[in-house]
Amino acid sequence: MSGLRLYALVYLAFLYAPIALLPIFAFNDGTVIAFPLDGFTLRWFRELPQTPALVASVRTSLWIAGSTALLSTVLGLCAARAGTMARFGGRDAMMGLIMLPLVLPEIIVAVALLVVLLALGLPLTGWTVIAGHTLICLPFSTAILGSAFRALDPALEEAGIDLGLGRAAVFLRVTLPLLMPGIIASLLITFTISLDEFIIAFFLTGTEPTLPVYLWGQLRFPQKIPVVMALGTILLVISVVLITLAEIARRRAAARATGIDSGA
Amino acid sequence: MPDQTNTDAEAAPAGRCPIIELSGAHKHFGDYHALRGIDLSVGAGEFFSLLGPSGCGKTTLLRTIAGFEALGAGRLVIGGRDMAGVPPNRRPTNMVFQSYAIFPHLDVGQNVGFGLRRSEGSRAQKAVRIGEALEMVGLAGYERRGAQALSGGQRQRVALARALILRPDVLLLDEPLSALDKKLREQMQAELRRLQRQVGITFVLVTHDQEEALIMSDRVAVMFEGRIAQLAGPQELYRHPASRRVAEFIGMMNFLPVIATGDTLEIAGLGRVPRAGLRSAAPDGQGPPEAGIRPEMFSILYPGEQTGRRTAQGTVRETAFYGDMTYYEVILDGTERPVTISMKNMPGRMILSPGTQARIAWDAESVTLFSAAW
Ligand SMILES: Nc1ncnc2c1ncn2[C@@H]1O[C@H](COP(=O)(O)OP(=O)(O)OP(=O)(O)O)[C@@H](O)[C@H]1O
Ligand SMILES: [Mg+2]
């Protein structure tokens, strides 16, 4: 085995081994997070639905993530369209601005938003979290949809117009169906980002904590930790599934828009 | 640069009323002047080609007619209606795109029926029309095929059916055959021509292949750098090119220096001819004139063969056998640059090998005088 390959393996192990601990202790029949293990149990998973605050936070997170996904995908669609197809002054500056949250530390974004919201006198609710999450999700949806637009042969839209349809009809009957895999990828990715996000949610949330915020609060109580790990395991599985689906959708979008026959 | 456009040919040919009339058309892309004053008139039912090298503005001109590019200056009239401000979906034109632009998410039937409006009959009536359109392009029964599973030639046919089903006044085709291999291309050339006669729709074809333009078209506009250099029928274009540049672009032509001028000219390697009998392409007085003559207008005589034609002497330098034809490179006595001579291979005719002395026959009528500067 070459040195580089060994390095890569060790690197990956350091990166992902802690995540493997999550399911291990979620099924461990003991409250202490330490080896040796005490035996297999589903107890912690059974305890999950019996914690009302936890169920409420899951519900909050789901609707915040859903709204964020919808909002940032619609906005990303507009931005990607303008960024790839239109020619106007300040376009590059606009695209740069949209991508900015990608490189800004989240804590700075969160504090800045909090200051603005307080200055405006707006109450902190689920909507303020959605606004913050949309801000940090927009670079992702814009990038995903931008590549979907770039893969689209512009002659397809022109052909739609040439065949007698108006711009709106062409968008609905040609552009949207061809972008659909990209749109689905964007929805899944932004949903996942919002579901996992902690810092902005922590600063901007009102009386209804999101799931990550609730979990962070529970870490102070050692006897609750196995339950948290059980929940973490479920979230891990959901995240992996969503990201995998998003990647499949994204690849299909690329293949479809260019007309490359990938499967059949 | 002199205007070498053949003004007589700009008008639609006799017996056809004009369907497209374009006058003084200019188009700028930023600083780039893509169309520099185009005047042309296409007759109804005509097969019209735009021919020119890459970047000369053929696609731009076609997209202008389709309505995807607005004219900077000039006037476009289609079917008697001024097209200023009319969007592509309201023009009586349809386009076959170079990439074919087949909708990948729809099947063949849905592609072909894409432009049919909801008002245009019932589902069953539309299905019949789609079937007819597919039959016309030789794809009967392909309705349920996925667009992704089509070959290049089939895509092109779907694109044709999708446009023709709408019965436009004008069908615009942007290099529709350039993506096909040679055999299929030749087959589609004949088929397009047959289809055009059958439906009687005006076709405007963009191509950079001069052979294709000659084979298929009623008339051809040769374009260089955003201008029309010559607009004429295929025979006129080949026999009477308006400039040296057109002559070089259409087919092959030999150019020989003209040594002495006056009432009697001396063409290098060919000898003296009276000026009066020769056709001139460009106006005189622009640099030294040259004599142009096509390869097939020479013939190599059998040893001892009698002829009433003019003759010259030369030496074969190179022989290229093409099956039906043989191409010779011959150095005429007293010259250095070889001329190309093509001979049909006939029974009893020997293929000459390099180094052979040859007697060559030619006629003053097949010579065109060009000014070296254009
Ligand atoms: N949208 C555009 N923006 C800027 N320049 C353009 C645009 N479209 C065309 N041009 C320029 O105009 C010129 C003519 O382009 P056009 O596509 O009409 O050429 P063409 O004759 O069709 O060539 P080809 O045979 O390569 O397709 C080219 O120099 C091209 O770079
Ligand atoms: Mg072109």
Side-chain angles (χ1 to χ4, degrees):
Chain A
M1 193 183 286
S2 75
L4 189 64
R5 181 173 290 231
L6 185 70
Y7 170 77
L9 280 179
V10 171
Y11 180 88
L12 287 176
F14 266 105
L15 212 56
Y16 291 109
I19 296 174
L21 293 178
L22 214 61
I24 291 175
F25 285 103
F27 293 105
N28 184 32
D29 193 4
T31 48
V32 185
I33 307 301
F35 290 102
L37 301 175
D38 294 323
F40 182 83
T41 180
L42 289 176
R43 192 168 110 209
W44 312 122
F45 286 90
R46 261 184 254 116
E47 258 183 43
L48 274 179
Q50 287 151 25
T51 321
L54 187 145
V55 174
S57 74
V58 168
R59 203 170 288 142
T60 305
S61 264
L62 285 181
W63 85 260
I64 285 179
S67 308
T68 300
L70 215 60
L71 209 60
S72 58
T73 299
V74 169
L75 291 176
L77 203 60
C78 299
R81 165 99 203 175
T84 52
M85 305 246 174
R87 262 170 267 164
F88 56 90
R91 184 186 70 177
D92 292 348
M94 184 200 85
M95 293 312 280
L97 213 56
I98 287 174
M99 291 297 162
L100 198 57
L102 219 47
V103 293
L104 281 182
E106 258 183 56
I107 183 86
I108 296 196
V109 176
V111 171
L113 284 174
L114 184 64
V115 170
V116 171
L117 287 171
L118 293 179
L120 290 175
L122 291 172
L124 297 178
T125 65
W127 288 107
T128 52
V129 180
I130 291 171
H133 280 183
T134 302
L135 186 71
I136 59 159
C137 284
L138 200 53
F140 293 93
S141 54
T142 305
I144 292 168
L145 293 164
S147 72
F149 267 115
R150 268 189 295 279
L152 201 67
D153 180 1
L156 289 172
E157 287 193 340
E158 288 189 338
I161 293 172
D162 186 70
L163 291 167
L165 273 68
R167 293 214 166 264
V170 167
F171 187 77
L172 288 179
R173 285 181 59 187
V174 178
T175 317
L176 215 51
L178 290 175
L179 291 178
M180 199 42 83
I183 291 172
I184 290 171
S186 164
L187 285 174
L188 293 174
I189 296 257
T190 51
F191 184 88
T192 312
I193 292 172
S194 170
L195 199 64
D196 293 347
E197 204 284 334
F198 173 71
I199 298 174
I200 287 177
F202 180 72
F203 274 80
L204 301 186
T205 201
T207 49
E208 304 169 312
T210 64
L211 186 58
V213 175
Y214 170 81
L215 289 183
W216 187 80
Q218 295 307 298
L219 289 178
R220 278 171 296 163
F221 313 110
Q223 71 276 18
K224 290 275 181 67
I225 286 182
V227 181
V228 168
M229 290 212 149
L231 189 66
T233 304
I234 294 174
L235 284 182
L236 181 67
V237 171
I238 292 175
S239 293
V240 168
V241 167
L242 287 184
I243 296 291
T244 308
L245 288 180
E247 180 60 15
I248 290 170
R250 198 192 58 75
R251 286 190 190 178
R252 279 193 38 203
R256 186 183 231 187
T258 48
I260 292 165
D261 193 3
S262 50
Chain B
M1 163 158 175
D3 185 8
Q4 291 156 350
T5 311
N6 183 347
T7 35
D8 291 339
E10 270 171 28
R16 286 185 161 135
C17 57
I19 182 90
I20 302 174
E21 291 162 285
L22 191 63
S23 48
H26 284 266
K27 175 77 192 173
H28 287 266
F29 291 113
D31 290 339
Y32 188 75
H33 201 168
L35 299 181
R36 310 181 185 183
I38 303 267
D39 298 290
L40 62 83
S41 167
V42 179
E46 198 176 7
F47 200 124
F48 190 92
S49 290
L50 296 169
L51 172 67
S54 185
C56 72
K58 308 179 295 288
T59 298
T60 305
L61 182 52
L62 201 72
R63 289 172 58 82
T64 299
I65 297 171
F68 291 115
E69 307 284 358
L71 276 180
R75 204 170 115 91
L76 171 66
V77 175
I78 302 179
R81 257 175 77 211
D82 193 320
M83 286 292 130
V86 180
N89 50 350
R90 301 205 186 285
R91 295 193 181 197
T93 58
N94 280 116
M95 188 140 163
V96 173
F97 290 82
Q98 187 166 6
S99 63
Y100 307 143
I102 303 297
F103 302 122
H105 58 299
L106 303 178
D107 65 25
V108 169
Q110 290 168 326
N111 261 285
V112 173
F114 191 87
L116 293 178
R117 286 167 196 285
R118 204 165 292 154
S119 58
E120 281 181 286
S122 67
R123 195 178 267 268
Q125 282 169 319
K126 280 186 202 163
V128 170
R129 277 182 71 180
I130 292 169
E132 284 168 358
L134 281 173
E135 199 177 329
M136 191 161 63
V137 297
L139 287 180
Y142 273 64
E143 280 91 341
R144 296 273 77 82
R145 291 280 187 99
Q148 309 261 26
L150 297 174
S151 71
Q154 289 169 335
R155 277 163 185 264
Q156 139 123 76
R157 287 159 199 265
V158 171
L160 268 172
R162 185 175 70 179
L164 288 176
I165 197 173
L166 301 176
R167 303 228 135 240
D169 291 341
V170 178
L171 186 69
L172 306 167
L173 306 106
D174 190 0
E175 310 218 15
L177 307 177
S178 62
L180 307 179
D181 63 58
K182 191 168 184 292
K183 267 259 152 56
L184 192 55
R185 190 161 65 228
E186 284 169 1
Q187 184 193 335
M188 283 308 295
Q189 284 170 357
E191 217 167 301
L192 265 184
R193 191 68 243 235
R194 172 190 65 75
L195 206 60
Q196 193 266 337
R197 293 221 177 95
Q198 184 189 330
V199 296
I201 291 172
T202 309
F203 276 33
V204 179
L205 174 92
V206 160
T207 178
H208 61 255
D209 181 344
Q210 46 99 10
E211 211 171 280
E212 186 170 294
L214 294 185
I215 291 170
M216 300 174 73
S217 323
D218 294 318
R219 284 191 311 151
V220 180
V222 182
M223 287 180 70
F224 297 121
E225 282 114 34
R227 288 194 186 87
I228 294 181
Q230 188 173 7
L231 200 170
Q235 296 187 24
E236 169 78 9
L237 207 57
Y238 187 80
R239 293 197 185 131
H240 307 309
S243 66
R244 176 171 170 156
R245 202 165 176 200
V246 172
E248 282 179 325
F249 195 71
I250 310 281
M252 201 188 282
M253 191 172 258
N254 295 300
F255 293 97
L256 294 161
V258 175
I259 301 161
T261 53
D263 286 345
T264 306
L265 301 181
E266 184 172 350
I267 303 172
L270 293 180
R272 296 173 155 275
V273 275
R275 170 79 202 245
L278 302 185
R279 206 160 19 81
S280 301
D284 286 352
Q286 298 172 40
E290 286 184 295
I293 180 162
R294 300 271 185 204
E296 69 277 13
M297 294 301 172
F298 287 117
S299 32
I300 297 177
L301 299 170
Y302 297 100
E305 186 182 339
Q306 296 295 311
T307 180
R309 302 168 69 191
R310 293 169 187 273
T311 57
Q313 285 289 333
T315 311
V316 175
R317 197 181 73 167
E318 208 80 66
T319 303
F321 177 72
Y322 274 71
D324 58 335
M325 304 284 285
T326 304
Y327 281 80
Y328 295 101
E329 277 189 16
V330 175
I331 310 263
L332 295 172
D333 289 357
T335 63
E336 277 150 29
R337 256 196 320 168
V339 293
T340 303
I341 299 178
S342 67
M343 294 295 290
K344 189 134 187 59
N345 292 331
M346 305 227 262
R349 187 187 286 280
M350 277 200 357
I351 308 286
L352 302 179
S353 41
T356 316
Q357 287 286 319
R359 236 168 99 237
I360 288 143
W362 62 284
D363 311 287
E365 295 79 65
S366 40
V367 171
T368 307
L369 285 181
F370 293 97
S371 186
W374 58 69

